[in-house]
Amino acid sequence: MEPIQAQMVFCCAEQWMGGYFYQVEPWGDGLRLDPGHASTGVYCLTAVDSGETGFLWGRAAVEADLPADTALRIYARAADTRRWEDWPDLDRGIQSLGASPMASLREIFGAPVSDSGDCLLPCVGRYLWIMLELTATGTQAPVIRTLRLWMRGDHMTDYLPAIYQGEDFTRRFLSIFDSMYTDMDRRIDTLPGQMDYQHAGGDLLRYLASWVCVERGGSEEELRQRIRTALPDYEDLYTVEGVRRSVRRLTGRDPILIEPFQVSPNRPDCQDPVLYRRLYGEDPYRFFVLLPEDTFSGQRERELFQRDMEAVIPAGMTMQMIQLKPCVQLDWHTYLGINARIGGYVPAVIDEQATIHYDTTIGGANHE
């Protein structure tokens, strides 16, 4: 058995806009209960034309996000004509309902056909109208993502002897297993698309990210960007640019990196070896990361950053982080409104416990 199902799928904003909204609003490519109004709202889909008189409608499935204290009900009505009582067109009649349409809508559609998102439609007629009712008693609003209508296609009863094909009970009973089979088959067919990180979301996107060792990330778009550049990122992970990118990703700030050779007191052009030896030491396997003072909100966040950086720096290297305070540097001839001048500097030693203070000057004039 290879079921070929003809479906009509409503999954984008343009498809919803022609319907009737009552305390329900468009939300992305779906629908959402308007959180600023009452706890109940409805959406009525315009007539779906099967093109066949006496058409036997099958299954409807709604994919929705239903948090706690929310509910979804599905209403359906079918007929071979668009007319309903005095209205020559049911769609236009619904659009003309007043401020309190619920009583009229329930009279048109009757009892709900389902209190869940997947149901069989007990409807016969060329035209089908669907009403979706959303209810929320808490603070979260339910969201409808997709509506699927099974129009026609193979059914398990089609493979039974003719005497069973006309039995309504047999068809409805086998529809339970038919829907399970077709859903499973559809998931298998769409599996390659679900494994595409550009379209996946939620837990599946984080699972795909773990395949390329992208364990942390903010929004889904940031995760996709990191997956997209995972290979070149790993190629230069332990370079200067790679370390700078890791700091930027973890803190959101652009750091200043100081490597040992830049401040080595043994360089021929070093004007004050004693000072540089006190400031930076002589460890050739330690580099410095300078960040603004307000980069971290507390000690715990600072410790987490240092722990995470240990995994993305070259083996055998150690990192020392220095937080800088914003300041104004006064030169030797700087006048403050009185006949005074500022001079001199305070040397500092950079080690695991010290930070560079705002009044610290690295270097100095030759005569000092």
Side-chain angles (χ1 to χ4, degrees):
M1 178 180 177
E2 297 181 357
I4 302 174
Q5 300 290 333
Q7 302 178 14
M8 182 171 290
V9 183
F10 299 85
C11 59
C12 63
E14 292 78 6
Q15 293 173 302
W16 304 110
M17 294 309 297
Y20 173 74
F21 295 85
Y22 175 69
Q23 296 181 167
V24 170
E25 63 180 5
W27 181 255
D29 283 331
L31 305 172
R32 183 183 70 165
L33 181 65
D34 189 351
H37 293 83
S39 59
T40 300
V42 295
Y43 170 79
C44 297
L45 189 67
T46 55
V48 180
D49 187 0
S50 67
E52 179 182 330
T53 302
F55 184 80
L56 176 61
W57 294 93
R59 181 183 171 203
V62 178
E63 298 176 11
D65 299 334
L66 299 176
D69 301 323
T70 63
L72 165 68
R73 292 186 179 90
I74 302 176
Y75 298 78
R77 180 184 182 277
D80 288 326
T81 175
R82 291 178 175 269
R83 184 182 183 86
W84 188 80
E85 294 189 349
D86 296 334
W87 292 341
D89 191 306
L90 180 57
D91 288 337
R92 297 179 182 178
I94 291 177
Q95 294 285 354
S96 64
L97 291 176
S100 301
M102 295 303 298
S104 299
L105 290 173
R106 289 195 172 96
E107 180 182 356
I108 295 171
F109 287 95
V113 297
S114 176
D115 289 330
S116 65
D118 198 336
C119 64
L120 292 174
L121 300 175
C123 302
V124 178
R126 173 175 176 175
Y127 302 99
L128 174 71
W129 289 268
I130 293 287
M131 182 172 75
L132 306 175
E133 180 180 355
L134 294 174
T135 304
T137 58
T139 58
Q140 295 180 298
V143 177
I144 294 174
R145 302 293 184 186
T146 303
L147 168 64
R148 293 179 181 273
L149 296 177
W150 273 256
M151 303 292 292
R152 59 180 60 83
D154 286 356
H155 194 277
M156 286 185 174
T157 56
D158 299 336
Y159 297 87
L160 297 178
I163 190 174
Y164 297 105
Q165 295 183 12
E167 291 291 335
D168 183 66
F169 172 78
T170 303
R171 183 177 182 85
R172 290 189 170 276
F173 178 73
L174 291 181
S175 292
I176 300 173
F177 306 97
D178 188 80
S179 62
M180 295 170 58
Y181 179 86
T182 54
D183 285 352
M184 181 174 60
D185 192 69
R186 181 168 56 88
R187 284 195 294 268
I188 293 174
D189 289 340
T190 59
L191 185 60
Q194 294 176 3
M195 305 304 289
D196 186 353
Y197 73 91
Q198 298 187 60
H199 299 93
D203 293 337
L204 179 58
L205 177 61
R206 287 186 286 272
Y207 177 66
L208 295 176
S210 67
W211 288 8
V212 291
C213 300
V214 177
E215 301 293 344
R216 297 185 57 183
S219 65
E220 292 187 353
E221 188 54 40
E222 291 175 354
L223 275 177
R224 293 188 182 95
Q225 177 60 31
R226 291 190 59 195
I227 295 173
R228 190 177 299 114
T229 60
L231 179 59
D233 287 350
Y234 281 117
E235 289 178 346
D236 62 1
L237 178 63
Y238 301 116
T239 64
V240 174
E241 182 55 37
V243 173
R244 182 177 288 108
R245 183 180 58 248
S246 297
V247 175
R248 188 184 304 115
R249 176 173 56 84
L250 294 172
T251 65
R253 304 295 185 90
D254 287 318
I256 299 175
L257 298 184
I258 300 179
E259 298 183 82
F261 76 89
Q262 295 176 299
V263 291
S264 173
N266 300 319
R267 290 179 54 170
D269 58 346
C270 182
Q271 298 182 2
D272 197 337
V274 176
L275 175 62
Y276 274 65
R277 188 173 289 110
R278 292 178 61 190
L279 287 174
Y280 300 103
E282 295 186 85
D283 185 357
Y285 302 106
R286 178 173 61 176
F287 67 94
F288 300 86
V289 175
L290 278 59
L291 290 168
E293 182 185 28
D294 60 348
T295 301
F296 307 103
S297 59
Q299 181 64 25
R300 176 175 175 78
E301 188 177 344
R302 185 182 301 108
E303 292 174 353
L304 289 175
F305 165 73
Q306 293 176 323
R307 184 197 65 187
D308 292 339
M309 284 299 298
E310 291 177 359
V312 293
I313 61 176
M317 297 292 292
T318 59
M319 182 196 76
Q320 182 166 335
M321 182 187 65
I322 306 297
Q323 289 185 257
L324 302 176
K325 295 184 177 181
C327 63
V328 177
Q329 181 174 344
L330 301 179
D331 205 348
W332 181 260
H333 292 285
T334 301
Y335 292 93
L336 305 178
I338 58 176
N339 190 19
R341 59 185 181 177
I342 306 299
Y345 64 90
V346 179
V349 178
I350 299 178
D351 55 27
E352 286 76 8
Q353 287 78 35
T355 59
I356 297 179
H357 296 284
Y358 66 91
D359 57 352
T360 301
T361 304
I362 299 177
N366 292 334
H367 70 274
E368 293 180 320

